[in-house]
Amino acid sequence: MSNAGDGTIGVGMVGHAFMGRVHSHAWRTVHHFFDVPQAPRLAVLGGRDLERTKAAAAKLGWEDFETDWRALIARDDVQIVDICTPGDSHKDIAIAALEAGKHVLCEKPLANTVEEAREMAEAAAAASARGQRSMVAFNYRRVPALAVARRMIADGKLGKIRHVRAQYLQDWLSDPDAPMAWRLRKQEAGSGALGDIGAHIIDASQFVLGEHLAGVSALTETFVHKRPIAGDPDGRLDDVTVDDTALFIGKFASGTMASYEATRFALGRKNSMRLEVNGEKGSLAFDFESMNELSYYDGGSPDETAGFRRILITEASHPYAGAWWPPGHIIGYEHTFTHEVFDFLTHIGDGTDPAPSFADGLQVQQVLGAVEASAGNESRWTAVP
Amino acid sequence: MSNAGDGTIGVGMVGHAFMGRVHSHAWRTVHHFFDVPQAPRLAVLGGRDLERTKAAAAKLGWEDFETDWRALIARDDVQIVDICTPGDSHKDIAIAALEAGKHVLCEKPLANTVEEAREMAEAAAAASARGQRSMVAFNYRRVPALAVARRMIADGKLGKIRHVRAQYLQDWLSDPDAPMAWRLRKQEAGSGALGDIGAHIIDASQFVLGEHLAGVSALTETFVHKRPIAGDPDGRLDDVTVDDTALFIGKFASGTMASYEATRFALGRKNSMRLEVNGEKGSLAFDFESMNELSYYDGGSPDETAGFRRILITEASHPYAGAWWPPGHIIGYEHTFTHEVFDFLTHIGDGTDPAPSFADGLQVQQVLGAVEASAGNESRWTAVP
Amino acid sequence: MSNAGDGTIGVGMVGHAFMGRVHSHAWRTVHHFFDVPQAPRLAVLGGRDLERTKAAAAKLGWEDFETDWRALIARDDVQIVDICTPGDSHKDIAIAALEAGKHVLCEKPLANTVEEAREMAEAAAAASARGQRSMVAFNYRRVPALAVARRMIADGKLGKIRHVRAQYLQDWLSDPDAPMAWRLRKQEAGSGALGDIGAHIIDASQFVLGEHLAGVSALTETFVHKRPIAGDPDGRLDDVTVDDTALFIGKFASGTMASYEATRFALGRKNSMRLEVNGEKGSLAFDFESMNELSYYDGGSPDETAGFRRILITEASHPYAGAWWPPGHIIGYEHTFTHEVFDFLTHIGDGTDPAPSFADGLQVQQVLGAVEASAGNESRWTAVP
Amino acid sequence: MSNAGDGTIGVGMVGHAFMGRVHSHAWRTVHHFFDVPQAPRLAVLGGRDLERTKAAAAKLGWEDFETDWRALIARDDVQIVDICTPGDSHKDIAIAALEAGKHVLCEKPLANTVEEAREMAEAAAAASARGQRSMVAFNYRRVPALAVARRMIADGKLGKIRHVRAQYLQDWLSDPDAPMAWRLRKQEAGSGALGDIGAHIIDASQFVLGEHLAGVSALTETFVHKRPIAGDPDGRLDDVTVDDTALFIGKFASGTMASYEATRFALGRKNSMRLEVNGEKGSLAFDFESMNELSYYDGGSPDETAGFRRILITEASHPYAGAWWPPGHIIGYEHTFTHEVFDFLTHIGDGTDPAPSFADGLQVQQVLGAVEASAGNESRWTAVP
C-alpha cells in the first residue's frame, strides 16, 4: 500500500454522528499542533444515507463520501479506515479493512461480544505481520492527566497499589421519559452503561495501573424498561434491552482491590469519569469533568505539609500538553482524540504497533463478559480469562 | 429509678480512650447550648486501671471513678450508663445496666456478632417497656448535613432513589509498620475496617435513605498480616486477625443500587466518610472531611443554572446548627456527640425511644454478617435477614 | 494578687452576647484538652440587665453574676477580666481592671479610636511591669491553619513575599431590610465592616507575614443608610452611621503588595475570611469557611507534580491540633477561642506577655485610622504611623 | 469590496506567535462547528522574517504569506485583516487596513496609549459607515461562562450589584531569573501586567456588569528591574520598563465597588483570571483555570438549601456550548477564539457592528490610563473620562 505521495495519508471514516464529528476534528487538526510523519487527508466519509452523508462530508471537511463502507475500503486514496459506527458493525468493517491492507482505528468497545473481538484481534495480529497498524479508540488513555498518572505509577511514585475506585457517572437517562436510542438496544450496542462507559473505566484503570483485573463480582440493573420512540406520532414505546447500570468489585492479579460503577442515572453528573488510586507511597484522584487536573497525595511529604495537590496538567513537561498553550490555558474533550490520531500516525510512520491494540480491546471485552456472567450468576466471583 | 433530684441526671461512663474523651466533652457541654430536660452530671467514670482511670476522671471532669464496671452500674447516682469500650464487652455491660434499670448509650458497632446484638436488642426492648431508653452511638446521624440529607429525601426532594455510593476512607494503617492495636484483633473488635468504619456508612446510608439493604455481594482483604507490637523491646510482631478493607455492592428493597467501601489504607484520606445519593429529582454528596457542607443538585433547576451547590450547613434552619454560631462559623467532630446526647436526654425526658435503637444496631450487625458471609462464599449474593 | 489557691484562677467576664457565649465555652473547656498552669474558674459574669445576666450565668455556667462591671472588677475571686462588650466601653473597663491588678483579655478591635487604644496600650505596658498580662482577642491567630501559615513564612518556606490578598466577606447586611444593630452605630462600634471584620484581616495578615503595613489607599461606602428598628411597632427606621464596606490597597515595609476588602454585603459568603500569600518560593491560601484546610503551593516541586495542595490541618504536628482528635476529625469556630485562652493562661503562668498585646491592638487601630483618613481624602496614599 | 465568490471570505493575519497560533486554529475550525455566512479562507500570513513566516504558514495552514504587512493589506484575496502583533504596531496596521477597505480584528489591548486608541476608534467609526466591521479581541467575553454571567446580570437575576472583585493572576515572572521578553518593554507593550492581563479583567468585568468604571485609585510596582537576555552568551541583563503588578480599587457609575489585581508573580496561579460579583439577589464567581464552570448563589433559595452551585457550562442552552459536545465534555482555551471569529463573521454577514468595538477598546485604554495616572499621583482618586 502506498501513501498519497504528496506527504499526506488518506483517511476513510465510517460514521458521522457524535464520534464522527470529533474524529473529523482530530484528523483536521493534528498536524497543525504535532509533528506527524504524514499529515492526514480527509479523503472519504462513509455513511448510509446519501443526503445526510453528503451534508456531513461538507460540514466536517471531507473531500468525498461513500454510502457503502465496502466501497470506501476499496478506494486507493484511503490508507486508514476509521470506524465510528455502533458496535454491531465493527467486526465486519474492521476485518474487511484489514484484509484490504488498510490501517484500522476502531471505536470502543471493540465489539459486541468476546467472540467478535477475538476474531478482530486475530485479524489485527495477522495484519500487523504485514505492516498494518490497528488501534482501539480508548481515548481516555490520551487525557494528559491519565497519561501522567500512568507514568507516575510506572515510575513507582505510588508504591504498591492497594485500591482503585473507578466510576463513570452520567445522567442523560435519569429522566424515564428520555427517548429510546440505539445505545439502549442490545442488538446494536452489545450492552448498556457497561459497554458504553464501563468499558472506558475498565481500560483506563488497567492502563493507569499497568496490569489486568483477575476477577469480578457484579450486579447490573435496568431501571427503565420502556422508553418513548423519539418523534413517534402515536407515542409508542420501545424496549430497553440493555443494563442501565453496572456495579462490580474485583481484584487485580497483584492484590489491588477495585470497585467500579457505570451509570447514566447519576443526576447532576454530566460526564464524571472518576478514578482514584491509593498506593503505599502516594495516591491519585481524577475526574474527567475537570480533565486538566490531577490530584496527587505524596506520602513522602512531612505530615505538616502533606495534602492532595491539584496539579494543573498544562505544563510543557506533561504528555501532549506542550503542543498546545502556555500553562493554565486548558484543553478540552476533543483534544484526547487529536492525541489519539497523533499517536496512531506516529506508529504508522514508525512501523510499530500502537496501544491499545485489538488484543487489548479483546481483553476489555473479556472483562465485560465476566461482569455479565457474574451478574447472571448470583454475583458469584468470576475470573477474567 | 429516680433522677438526681437537683435537676440533673447522673451519667456513668465505661471507657476513657478516644470515645471516652469525646463523650465526656458532650456530657460536659450539651446543656450549655441545648435545652435539655435534665442537665447531665458526670458522676462516675469506669476504667480497668486505677491510676489511669483516676487521672482520666480528673482530666475529663468526672466526679468519681470505679475500676469495676459492675460497681459503676450499681451506683445510685448513675441513671445513664454510657459504654465506650471495645466491642467484646458491650453485651455484658449493656445487659447488666439494663437489668439494673439504667438508660444505656452504647458505642457502635453494637456488638461483635449478630447473636450478641440480638440478645442486647431483646434486653433493650424489655427495658423499654419498663421506661428505660437505649441508643447506639452512630454519631454520624447527628452530623447536621446528614440530618438535612435525610429530611430532604424523606420530603421527596430527590424523588425515587437510584444510586447510593458510600465510602469510608482512612489511611492510618497504610504504613505496614504502623503498630498493632486492639482494633486489629478479631477477639476484641469483631471485625476490622468493616465493623469499625463500614458500620458507620451502612447505618448512615440506611438512615439517610430511610430503608434497609436487601442483600450484598462482598470482598474483604487483609493486606498486612503481622504488625509490630508498640514498645516491644524485642521487636516482636502480632497477628492481624481482621479485614483491612471491605468492599461490597448491594440493593435496597426499593431497587436502589448501592456500593460500599471501607478501608484504612487509602493514603491521604484522613477521615473521608463519603456518601452520594442520586435520585430521579435530585442528588446529594457529602464528605465528612468537610462535614459542614452538603452538596445538592436540584434536578428541577433549569439546565442553564443547574449545578451541584455547596450548602454550608450552619443556618439556624438546619438541624442542631442553630444552637451554635452564626452562619459560616463551622462546627467540628465532637459536636456530633453533643447532638447525640442532646437527643438521648430529650428522649429520656419525653419517655420515648430514641433512634438508632438497639434493634437498629442489630440490623446493622446483620448487614455486617451478610458481608462476611458473602466474602466467605465466593462473593455470592447474600440476603440481609 | 493571689490566685484562688485551689489550683484554679478566677475569671470575671463582662458581656454575654455572641462573644460572651463563645468565651464561656472556652473557659469551661480549655483545661480538659490542654495542660494549663491553673484551670479557669467561671467566677462572675457581668451584664447590665439583672434578669438577663442571671439567666445567662446559669446557661453559660458562671457561678455568680454582677450588673455593675466595677463591682465585678473589685471582687477578690476575679483574677482575669475578660471584656466581651461593644467597643465603646473597652477603654474604661480595661483600664479599671488593669488598675485593680487584674489580667485582661479584651475583644477586638481594641477600641473605637486610636486615642483610646493608645491609652489602653499605655496602661497595659505599665501593668505588665507589675506582672499583669493583657491580650487582644484576635482569635484568628489561633486558627491552626493560620498558625501553620505564620510558621511556614517565618521559616522561609515562601521566600520573599510579593503579594497578600485579604478579604473578609459576609452577607448578613445584604438584605436592605435587615434590622438595625449596635454594630451599625458609629458611637458604639467605632466603624462598620472596617473595624468589625476588616480589623481581623489586618491583624491576621500582619501576623502571618510577621511585619506591618506601611501605608494604604482606601475607599469606603455605605450602601444602606437607614434600617428598620427590630420590633418597632411603628416600623421606624434608624440611621446607619458606619461603613458597609471598606476596600484598600497597600504596601508592607518590605515591598509586599497587599489588597483588602471587608464587607457584609457579599451575598452567599457567610464567613469567608480569606487570605492568600504569594512568595518567591511558595504560596498559601486560606478560607475560614474551610478553616481546617490550608492550601499550599511549593515552588520547589518539579513542574510535573507542582500544584496547590489541600493540607488538612488536623495532624498532631500542627499547632493546637494534637490536643483534639485524630487526623481528619475537624474542629470548629469556638476552638480558636479555646486556643486563645490556653495561650493566655500559659503566659499568665509563665509570667510572660502574650501576643497580640494591647500595643499590637493599637497598631491595628492605626491601620484602621489610616484607612479612614485615606477614604476621606480622595483615597490618597496614607502612611501608617 | 467583494468576497471570494466561492462562499468563502479571505483572511490575512499579521503575526504568528502565540496569538497567531490560536487565531489560526479559530479560522481553520469555526465553520466546521458553527453556521457562518462565509467560511474563512486562510489566505495570507504576514510576518517579518521570511523563513520563519514561510514555515509558520505551512504549519498553521495558510495558503500564502507576506513579509510586509502593507503588501498583505493590499491583496485582493484579503477581506479581513487580523492583527496579532505587539501593541506598538496596532495603530498603523489597523488604520491602513481600514483605509484599504478591510474588516479588522485587532488583538488587545487596542493600543499602547489612549491617543493611539482614539485614532483607531475614529478610523473604525468612519469605516463602519462604509460597511466595514472592526472588533477588539477581548476573547474572554466569549468564554461561555462569562457570556452566561452577563446574561444573568442583564436579566436581573443578581439584582443591584454591590461588589466586583477581579483578579488576573499568573506566575511566569515570579522567578527573578526568568528571561527578558517584549512584554516587559514599555516601547512595545505599552505597560506590563496592567495592559497584558489587567486589560482583560477591566473589559470582562465591564462586559459582565454592562456598565463602566467611574474612577480608580491605584498602586503599581515593578519587583524585578533587570532580567537576563535569553541566549545572550555574555549573560547580559536588560531593563524591565513596565509594571510587574497593578492593584486598583474603584467604583462603577451605579455605585458598585470594585477591586482589581493583575500580576505575573502569583506563584502557583497559572492563568487564574477570577471574577466575583455580589448582587442583592445573587452572586457569581468564575476562575478561568476552571473555565467551563460558573459558580452561582441564588439568594432566592430558602436558607436550608442555598449555596454556591457549580454550573458546568456545557449545556446546549449555554452560549456557544451547543455547537460542541454533549454536557460534561469540556472545551478549552482556544474555543474562546473560535467563538470570537464566529461572532465576527456573523456580524460581517449581517452588516452590523460587533462588540467589543474599537470604541470599547478605547474606553478600556482610558481605564488603563487612569490607573497609571493615579499610581503616579499618590494613588489619588482618578476619574475615568
Side-chain angles (χ1 to χ4, degrees), chain C residues 75-88:
Chain C
R75 287 175 61 139
D76 281 346
D77 58 354
V78 168
Q79 284 86 42
I80 294 172
V81 173
D82 181 5
I83 305 172
C84 292
T85 55
D88 57 343

Side-chain angles (χ1 to χ4, degrees), chain D residues 177-223:
Chain D
D177 295 328
M180 191 62 193
W182 71 262
R183 289 180 193 274
L184 303 178
R185 271 190 288 269
K186 187 173 179 56
Q187 173 59 32
E188 281 161 87
S191 64
L194 178 60
D196 180 18
I197 53 181
H200 273 305
I201 48 176
I202 293 167
D203 183 69
S205 61
Q206 295 189 137
F207 164 71
V208 164
L209 263 64
E211 61 165 328
H212 287 168
L213 275 162
V216 294
S217 166
L219 285 175
T220 58
E221 182 67 281
T222 303
F223 293 121

Side-chain angles (χ1 to χ4, degrees), chain A residues 102-349:
Chain A
K102 314 293 175 162
H103 306 295
V104 177
L105 177 64
C106 184
E107 258 306 319
K108 47 55 55 185
L110 184 57
N112 278 3
T113 67
V114 170
E115 192 41 51
E116 288 170 357
R118 194 184 316 274
E119 286 183 56
M120 294 169 76
E122 286 165 3
S128 173
R130 298 190 302 263
Q132 296 164 245
R133 314 276 73 95
S134 306
M135 192 162 95
V136 192
F138 280 118
N139 64 302
Y140 287 75
R141 292 193 181 202
R142 269 72 190 193
V143 174
L146 292 181
V148 169
R150 176 187 173 87
R151 190 159 77 186
M152 290 175 71
I153 290 172
D155 289 351
K157 286 213 171 76
L158 268 69
K160 186 167 178 49
I161 306 300
R162 297 301 193 191
H163 290 288
V164 176
R165 56 197 71 86
Q167 294 157 356
Y168 204 140
L169 311 178
Q170 297 181 336
D171 72 356
W172 55 283
L173 292 177
S174 186
D175 179 354
D177 295 327
M180 190 64 192
W182 72 262
R183 288 178 193 274
L184 302 179
R185 272 190 287 269
K186 188 173 178 55
Q187 174 59 31
E188 283 162 86
S191 65
L194 179 60
D196 180 20
I197 53 182
H200 273 305
I201 49 177
I202 292 167
D203 183 70
S205 61
Q206 296 189 135
F207 165 72
V208 164
L209 262 64
E211 61 166 328
H212 286 168
L213 274 164
V216 295
S217 168
L219 284 175
T220 57
E221 183 66 281
T222 303
F223 293 122
V224 177
H225 292 275
K226 287 183 180 298
R227 287 186 178 274
I229 299 169
D232 186 84
D234 303 324
R236 277 173 298 188
L237 301 175
D238 198 359
D239 291 329
V240 172
T241 51
V242 297
D243 60 274
D244 278 337
T245 184
L247 280 79
F248 51 103
I249 49 183
K251 281 192 202 183
F252 281 74
S254 65
T256 300
M257 304 295 288
S259 73
Y260 293 83
E261 180 178 358
T263 182
R264 301 176 291 204
F265 280 72
L267 190 59
R269 303 299 180 193
K270 301 303 173 186
N271 200 39
S272 186
M273 186 275 210
R274 304 180 193 165
L275 206 56
E276 289 191 22
V277 184
N278 304 122
E280 253 184 53
K281 295 185 182 171
S283 290
L284 294 174
F286 172 79
D287 187 331
F288 190 74
E289 287 186 1
S290 301
M291 62 168 271
N292 293 269
E293 303 175 18
L294 182 65
S295 193
Y296 167 48
Y297 184 88
D298 179 358
S301 296
D303 272 2
E304 184 173 329
T305 54
F308 275 90
R309 64 184 79 174
R310 167 190 179 256
I311 311 172
L312 211 45
I313 305 292
T314 54
E315 296 291 322
S317 61
H318 293 138
Y320 309 109
W324 300 104
W325 316 113
H329 295 70
I330 69 171
I331 61 170
Y333 171 68
E334 74 260 41
H335 295 69
T336 63
F337 293 87
T338 307
H339 303 163
E340 185 169 81
V341 303
F342 163 58
D343 285 339
F344 192 47
L345 291 168
T346 301
H347 280 280
I348 289 172

